[in-house]
Amino acid sequence: MEASTGVWQAVLGELELTLSRGNFVTWFKNTHLLDYTPLKAIIGVPNVFIKQHMERKYTDLVGDMLAKNGVRPKEVIFEIYSSPSMKRSRSSDDTIVINNDLSMTSVRQKTPKQHSSGVSHKYRQGLNSRYTFENFIVGGSNELAYAACQAIAQAPGEKYNPLFLYGGVGIGKTHLIQAVGNEILKGNPSAHIVYISTEQFIQEFLDAIRFKKNTDFAGYYRSADVLIVDDIQFIAGKEKTQEEFFHTFNALHQANKQIIITSDKPPRDIPTLEERLRSRFNWGMAIDMQIPDFETRCAIVQNKASSHGLELSADVVEFLANLVRSNIRELEGVLNQLLAYCEMRNLEPDMDVAQALLGGAKNRPKHITPRQIIEQTAHFYSVELDDLLSPKRDKEIVIPRQIAMHLLRTELKLSFPKIAQECGRKDHTTAMHSVDKIEKELVIDPQLRQQIVELKGQLYA
Ligand code: ADP
Ligand code: MG
């Protein structure tokens, strides 16, 4: 089982996308997670030079990335550790792959296996081969985004240009847009796909100005067949970069080259975004990605576990999917944590272990009743409980009532007749209509989404 590799693999995967390629390879090649406890995580690095540099520059970042993946030690420590050898293999498409098979046996003995090394994934033009359409689980929350990305991968530049994907953290935006790049390269290995995080774009732009290499910079991006820019919200307030990006955008768009952009919010909500960029972002298609629902989260957990060669029982899968509701990265983090813990101690990842290890987490699922949902919703919108349960049709009452019905459906999976009954209705079609209406509203109304997030926070507090 290679579950334990999961944590460090996931951290490396994230770092690979966050850092420049040069930095990533220089500092993180041949690194290992040697051990971790709640007190400290020990990262093995090849020499004292790297150790000192890591301590100065990367302690916080590594700590953050570990935390994102479910490991929250009080301290991150770098230790010199020389891995016996490094296996380089060539994959079918001739990209160098460096394996990092850190097994937990080796963690116990602090001697990673012979063929351990550090860089986990294939890079090509900023793409991480781990992100594919095949391992992306499709559900109601992301099917539109998935379909648009598939369409683009089949015919880049023809439809939805630009594609603007937006939504909260850890819900699969980067995965999907990277999948587009990887898919196109599968059919056409010479396609010039450029994936870049906006932070990197800004940094490279500033470097280009500083070192007067502006033309290389501009040329590189403007020669892309597909330009994928992740987390564009970071461009807010960066006027010069916005201007540069505007010209890049125009050059590519005019040449019918595909542009894909993600953001944590829709263009209209990105502060200090130049109007001309804002309007261009709206030229193609903007799709709102939602937090994956319970079934999708279960499927993701199951899929991820089986990619580690493990079948988890349904109760453990559901437990995890309930534990982390809004962020798939965190969900993967708790799964990795569970699997690594079990592997180190040679335990079965069953319900007892899951509960013992993760049950005390602050986002522990709390059993809530239909009544609590209705009361909390009434309270949240400052309407009387009696009014909410009455047939009154005033707008201030109808909307909270519909939201309560929506929550009864999404949180407790009640049937429509049951929802109607809980809300004092006779006819279950009202409940169906309400749930449907709120679902549709959620797609277009970020304020409503925010309210529901807060309301759920109160419910599970
Ligand atoms: P975002 O860019 O929206 O913050 P990511 O694309 O980085 O999120 O996703 C976070 C993690 O969750 C990644 O490891 C990704 O592979 C995984 N993930 C998210 N959604 C899905 C999904 N629908 N199926 C499989 N994995 C997913
Ligand atoms: Mg992302």
Side-chain angles (χ1 to χ4, degrees):
M1 184 170 83
E2 56 162 45
S4 49
T5 10
V7 174
W8 194 240
Q9 290 285 333
V11 167
L12 288 176
E14 301 255 343
L15 287 167
E16 194 177 329
L17 296 183
T18 315
L19 300 171
S20 72
R21 178 181 172 162
N23 273 334
F24 178 70
V25 175
T26 309
W27 306 112
F28 288 91
K29 187 176 69 182
N30 293 328
T31 59
H32 313 273
L33 178 57
L34 294 178
D35 194 9
Y36 68 85
T37 65
L39 285 179
K40 56 186 178 183
I42 302 175
I43 314 297
V45 299
N47 60 47
V48 68
F49 171 63
I50 292 187
K51 173 170 145 67
Q52 287 172 350
H53 185 85
M54 295 280 256
E55 283 167 349
R56 267 200 316 275
K57 296 254 330 205
Y58 291 119
T59 307
D60 290 349
L61 182 63
V62 169
D64 289 351
M65 293 296 179
L66 283 168
K68 263 191 182 176
N69 289 285
V71 176
R72 293 184 175 78
K74 287 213 169 62
E75 215 184 341
V76 175
I77 293 173
F78 297 96
E79 250 180 34
I80 298 170
Y81 165 81
S82 51
S83 80
S85 78
M86 188 161 66
K87 178 179 131 193
R88 279 168 177 263
S89 60
R90 290 203 163 244
S91 73
S92 52
D93 56 18
D94 255 357
T95 310
I96 292 182
V97 186
I98 308 175
N99 292 318
N100 185 7
D101 267 354
L102 177 59
S103 82
M104 268 303 149
T105 342
S106 50
V107 165
R108 240 191 322 249
Q109 305 157 348
K110 282 211 189 175
T111 46
K113 276 187 188 166
Q114 290 291 308
H115 53 276
S116 293
S117 84
V119 184
S120 50
H121 307 292
K122 285 187 279 180
Y123 311 88
R124 235 169 4 184
Q125 306 163 343
L127 293 176
N128 182 329
S129 60
R130 166 167 94 102
Y131 296 121
T132 62
F133 284 128
E134 289 75 30
N135 62 15
F136 188 84
I137 306 291
V138 185
S141 61
N142 56 30
E143 62 191 352
L144 196 57
Y146 180 85
C149 284
Q150 282 266 353
I152 287 175
Q154 258 124 55
E158 287 182 16
K159 261 193 207 166
Y160 317 136
N161 202 13
L163 174 68
F164 192 100
L165 283 187
Y166 64 95
V169 179
I171 57 169
K173 300 185 298 297
T174 298
H175 187 137
L176 261 187
I177 58 174
Q178 289 247 337
V180 175
N182 285 321
E183 183 73 20
I184 295 174
L185 282 176
K186 231 171 30 185
N188 175 11
S190 60
H192 186 197
I193 314 274
V194 175
Y195 167 91
I196 189 155
S197 70
T198 299
E199 286 150 304
Q200 237 174 305
F201 187 85
I202 295 167
Q203 190 56 49
E204 287 189 12
F205 175 61
L206 296 178
D207 287 350
I209 295 177
R210 197 171 311 139
F211 304 117
K212 307 227 175 345
K213 285 198 297 193
N214 207 358
T215 46
D216 296 2
F217 173 82
Y220 178 69
Y221 291 102
R222 289 178 205 176
S223 67
D225 295 319
V226 179
L227 177 65
I228 307 174
V229 182
D230 211 352
D231 290 320
I232 198 78
Q233 73 272 8
F234 293 123
I235 210 170
K238 306 272 189 302
E239 280 169 33
K240 283 272 180 304
T241 314
Q242 289 194 21
E243 182 169 344
E244 177 62 31
F245 188 67
F246 177 75
H247 294 303
T248 305
F249 183 103
N250 285 345
L252 290 172
H253 198 271
Q254 269 165 22
N256 289 326
K257 304 297 188 186
Q258 180 70 47
I259 300 162
I260 305 175
I261 299 164
T262 74
S263 165
D264 66 350
K265 42 180 112 50
R268 65 172 179 278
D269 292 343
I270 302 178
T272 67
L273 181 66
E274 272 186 62
E275 195 43 47
R276 55 183 187 168
L277 267 182
R278 196 188 308 276
S279 75
R280 270 163 180 73
F281 290 168
N282 286 317
W283 274 0
M285 168 125 151
I287 298 178
D288 179 357
M289 279 178 78
Q290 306 278 320
I291 295 165
D293 56 27
F294 178 72
E295 283 78 11
T296 311
R297 297 200 301 276
C298 286
I300 290 172
V301 170
Q302 209 125 38
N303 188 51
K304 179 107 180 138
S306 62
S307 76
H308 289 303
L310 266 172
E311 286 303 316
L312 289 179
S313 66
D315 55 350
V316 173
V317 171
E318 286 174 14
F319 173 78
L320 296 176
N322 259 318
L323 191 64
V324 183
R325 291 157 186 260
S326 63
N327 183 330
I328 302 305
R329 186 177 297 118
E330 272 182 29
L331 181 60
E332 289 183 338
V334 294
L335 173 66
N336 282 333
Q337 208 184 343
L338 174 67
L339 299 186
Y341 182 87
C342 288
E343 185 154 17
M344 277 201 237
R345 287 161 187 79
N346 217 353
L347 300 168
E348 277 301 305
D350 60 15
M351 212 35 201
D352 290 342
V353 179
Q355 229 144 12
L357 180 71
L358 305 163
K362 64 179 186 323
N363 43 1
R364 175 191 192 139
K366 189 170 113 184
H367 187 69
I368 47 169
T369 62
R371 190 66 181 192
Q372 281 169 318
I373 289 185
I374 295 166
E375 281 175 0
Q376 192 70 46
T377 310
H379 176 74
F380 185 84
Y381 287 102
S382 305
V383 300
E384 292 299 329
L385 180 62
D386 288 344
D387 286 341
L388 198 142
L389 297 174
S390 76
K392 280 188 190 163
R393 300 287 314 152
D394 311 285
K395 197 173 167 217
E396 313 81 78
I397 297 168
V398 170
I399 292 174
R401 185 185 294 136
Q402 290 173 333
I403 289 173
M405 291 180 168
H406 166 80
L407 289 172
L408 289 171
R409 182 75 183 166
T410 56
E411 298 310 295
L412 298 182
K413 316 272 172 259
L414 296 191
S415 67
F416 290 115
K418 181 81 180 134
I419 293 172
Q421 187 198 345
E422 288 290 348
C423 295
R425 297 298 101 150
K426 289 195 187 70
D427 185 359
H428 75 277
T429 54
T430 321
M432 280 169 76
H433 167 75
S434 300
V435 170
D436 188 51
K437 170 149 184 281
I438 297 299
E439 247 166 46
K440 290 203 174 106
E441 287 289 334
L442 279 172
V443 175
I444 52 172
D445 187 351
Q447 270 172 351
L448 180 64
R449 278 204 300 279
Q450 189 55 38
Q451 288 167 11
I452 297 219
V453 169
E454 274 170 38
L455 179 48
K456 279 197 209 165
Q458 293 180 1
L459 266 173
Y460 291 100

